């Protein structure tokens, strides 16, 4: 009986220890240390592939009715960040009409935001008023936010991702990629320099990377087509690529 009681005691103790370890593994600090990259990539790709009618509208600039008829920088993602009702309002504003060459009014579509409901912040599917500005960084920041990445220090400027990487020690140059010292990861933001001034003027979210071929797939907002675009098999060390920023967990 003593041996049985000892075995039972040991089993119970083991179970308690396992439960404790399980709690530790899912506790806030341990979870926060988990790299958010894959979730970020899923968020970015989901914005492009979603079958939800409201999300499909986001792929195109304009009046939030879908389609390419109005390329005027009006977009959902800037609307998200400039909505004062949004918990994540970035303290900036943007016009509710298009650019100087195409001044149609921006539209409105549905999306999730944390807004005040009965005095408490709650996630709600609600109206988001589109606004107009260059929005590649607003899209990448959106994917990082919903992918549970730290977005502190980021803003509407594409180069803020490069600055973030340098400040948080997660910036990787294309020279490091070329030498094999770094391999881009899902959720990284790729920064491009089209002006040759050493600063990023466009960004996209990496969704996958092939080490053998040194090419990546990405989802990018405000591309040359003035919409959200899924780009395949892009050379990781192409001339216009500056480097890659890996998100930190929040």
């Amino acid at each position: 009986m003593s041996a049985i009681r000892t075995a039972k005691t040991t089993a119970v103790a083991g179970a308690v220890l396992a439960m404790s370890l399980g709690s530790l593994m899912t506790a806030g600090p341990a979870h926060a240390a988990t790299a958010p990259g894959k979730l970020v990539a899923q968020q970015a790709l989901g914005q492009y592939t979603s079958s939800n009618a409201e999300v499909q509208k986001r792929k195109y600039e304009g009046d939030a009715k879908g389609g390419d008829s109005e390329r005027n920088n009006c977009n959902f993602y800037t609307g998200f960040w400039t909505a004062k009702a949004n918990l994540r309002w970035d303290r900036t504003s943007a016009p509710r009409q298009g650019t100087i060459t195409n001044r149609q009014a921006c539209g409105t579509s549905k999306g999730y935001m944390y807004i005040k409901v009965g005095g408490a912040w709650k996630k709600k599917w609600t109206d988001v008023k589109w606004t107009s500005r260059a929005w590649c960084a607003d899209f990448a920041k959106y994917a990082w936010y919903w992918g549970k990445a730290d977005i502190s220090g980021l803003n509407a400027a594409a180069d803020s991702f490069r600055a973030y990487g340098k400040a948080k020690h997660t910036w990787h140059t294309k020279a490091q990629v070329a030498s094999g010292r770094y391999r881009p990861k899902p959720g990284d933001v790729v920064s491009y320099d089209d002006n040759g001034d050493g600063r990023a003027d466009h960004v996209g979210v990496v969704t996958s990377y092939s080490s053998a071929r040194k090419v990546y797939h990405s989802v990018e907002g405000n591309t040359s087509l003035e919409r959200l675009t899924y780009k395949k098999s892009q050379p990781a060390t192409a001339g216009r690529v500056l480097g890659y920023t890996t998100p930190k967990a929040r």
Side-chain angles (χ1 to χ4, degrees):
M1 293 293 293
S2 176
I4 293 174
R5 282 198 296 271
T6 301
K8 286 184 177 179
T9 301
T10 302
V12 170
V16 171
L17 178 60
M19 289 175 64
S20 300
L21 289 174
S23 298
L24 287 173
M25 290 176 67
T26 57
H31 176 74
T34 302
K38 288 184 178 180
L39 184 55
V40 168
Q42 289 171 5
Q43 290 293 324
L45 195 56
Q47 293 298 295
Y48 185 82
T49 61
S50 175
S51 60
N52 182 285
E54 294 296 296
V55 178
Q56 286 182 347
K57 295 174 183 177
R58 304 173 191 174
K59 291 197 289 188
Y60 307 102
E61 294 181 359
D63 58 8
K65 294 179 181 177
D68 275 333
S69 60
E70 297 178 48
R71 298 180 179 180
N72 57 4
N73 269 348
C74 290
N75 73 96
F76 168 88
Y77 302 100
T78 299
F80 175 90
W81 295 113
T82 57
K84 291 184 179 180
N86 185 3
L87 173 64
R88 298 307 313 181
W89 174 38
D90 69 359
R91 306 291 169 180
T92 68
S93 61
R96 283 277 291 150
Q97 61 182 16
T99 57
I100 195 168
T101 57
N102 192 346
R103 300 185 69 84
Q104 288 97 331
C106 298
T108 298
S109 68
K110 298 285 187 181
Y112 280 115
M113 293 195 299
Y114 280 95
I115 63 174
K116 277 282 183 72
V117 179
W121 292 101
K122 294 185 179 180
K123 184 179 179 180
K124 186 176 180 181
W125 185 255
T126 188
D127 286 340
V128 177
K129 295 180 179 180
W130 293 24
T131 49
S132 177
R133 70 182 177 202
W135 53 281
C136 64
D138 282 333
F139 167 73
K141 184 179 170 186
Y142 182 91
W144 274 26
Y145 170 65
W146 289 110
K148 302 186 182 304
D150 172 20
I151 60 171
S152 60
L154 297 176
N155 54 48
D159 201 53
S160 67
F161 282 89
R162 183 179 66 96
Y164 172 109
K166 286 181 171 292
K168 300 180 187 296
H169 309 291
T170 65
W171 170 252
H172 313 281
T173 66
K174 68 178 177 183
Q176 291 175 309
V177 176
S179 67
R181 286 177 292 161
Y182 182 72
R183 292 182 294 178
K185 301 179 180 65
D188 282 5
V189 159
V190 54
S191 293
Y192 303 99
D193 177 13
D194 291 318
N195 298 326
D197 61 0
R199 295 171 62 86
D201 42 53
H202 181 65
V203 291
V205 179
V206 175
T207 57
S208 63
Y209 177 69
S210 168
S211 298
R213 299 170 56 211
K214 288 189 175 178
V215 298
Y216 63 92
H217 294 359
S218 64
V219 180
E220 302 179 13
N222 202 195
T223 63
S224 57
L225 296 174
E226 302 300 326
R227 63 183 179 186
L228 194 65
T229 306
Y230 179 47
K231 297 185 175 182
K232 297 181 180 180
S233 300
Q234 300 184 94
T237 58
R240 65 189 290 249
V241 172
L242 268 178
Y244 303 82
T245 300
T246 301
K248 301 276 284 186
R250 67 169 182 256

